[in-house]
Amino acid sequence: MTKIDQTRPFIPCRIAVLAVSDTRTLAEDKSGDVLVQRLTDAGHTLAARHILRDDRDAIADQLRDWCANPEIDVILSTGGTGLTGRDVTVEAHRDVYEKEIDSFGTVFTHVSMAKIGTSAVQSRATGGVANGTYLFALPGSSGACKDAWDEILAYQLDYRHRPCNFVEIMPRLDEHKRRK
């Protein structure tokens, strides 16, 4: 059950969007456009946007660079989560994660099942945390990006969402690195 507590302030996140594709350009990136529109409509800030080919090392390097940037709180990637030989985004994400958010993929599959039935098993959407930054790998279809944002991320990236959300624990994501 989702509940927005209007007595709490909205806290905008700074979100980077990465499209992974061997065939699309930034001008043709409809899924990235969907994410940018939704995150800005929600009151968040687009911190960066880029497109990369399906290259595991290049994707992981970009994710690491953005995780090291204190001006980026969340990274959303789109594309490369399928089953073909060129789909390496999930592996690149897992190369970077310190902790995986296992339930993100499960909840995304549940949401997808309601829309596309058993075809949902072909997605490997994933989420994790690295260097105090949230990372989410979403499929390359604009419909899947809409579903992930509308049904999961819009709530979890809203500080007002109860009973809990990703934003309220953001300051504690890297507490293990602090001096005691």
Side-chain angles (χ1 to χ4, degrees), residues 19 21-33 49 51 140 142:
S21 177
D22 284 341
T23 59
R24 293 183 202 158
T25 65
L26 216 50
E28 302 164 326
D29 179 23
K30 291 184 174 123
S31 296
D33 290 343
R49 185 170 180 190
I51 191 163
S142 57

Side-chain angles (χ1 to χ4, degrees), residues 89-116:
T89 303
V90 173
E91 288 75 18
H93 269 251
R94 288 183 173 144
D95 289 344
V96 175
Y97 291 165
E98 293 167 4
K99 293 184 180 183
E100 190 161 358
I101 305 170
D102 298 314
S103 295
F104 179 79
T106 303
V107 172
F108 180 80
T109 300
H110 178 74
V111 167
S112 294
M113 283 284 297
K115 310 279 173 109
I116 62 171

Side-chain angles (χ1 to χ4, degrees), residues 55 121 135 145:
D55 178 290
V121 302
L135 302 94
C145 289

Side-chain angles (χ1 to χ4, degrees), residues 34-96:
V34 162
L35 292 171
V36 169
Q37 186 66 53
R38 278 174 159 65
L39 74 89
T40 56
D41 285 352
H44 299 292
T45 302
L46 178 64
R49 185 170 180 190
H50 196 58
I51 191 163
L52 287 174
R53 295 181 58 79
D54 294 273
D55 178 290
R56 181 176 177 168
D57 292 335
I59 297 164
D61 288 345
Q62 181 65 69
L63 297 174
R64 284 187 194 97
D65 286 349
W66 281 348
C67 286
N69 184 338
E71 298 300 313
I72 295 175
D73 303 312
V74 179
I75 300 167
L76 305 177
S77 70
T78 174
T81 64
L83 302 172
T84 71
R86 297 290 297 153
D87 292 323
V88 295
T89 303
V90 173
E91 288 75 18
H93 269 251
R94 288 183 173 144
D95 289 344
V96 175

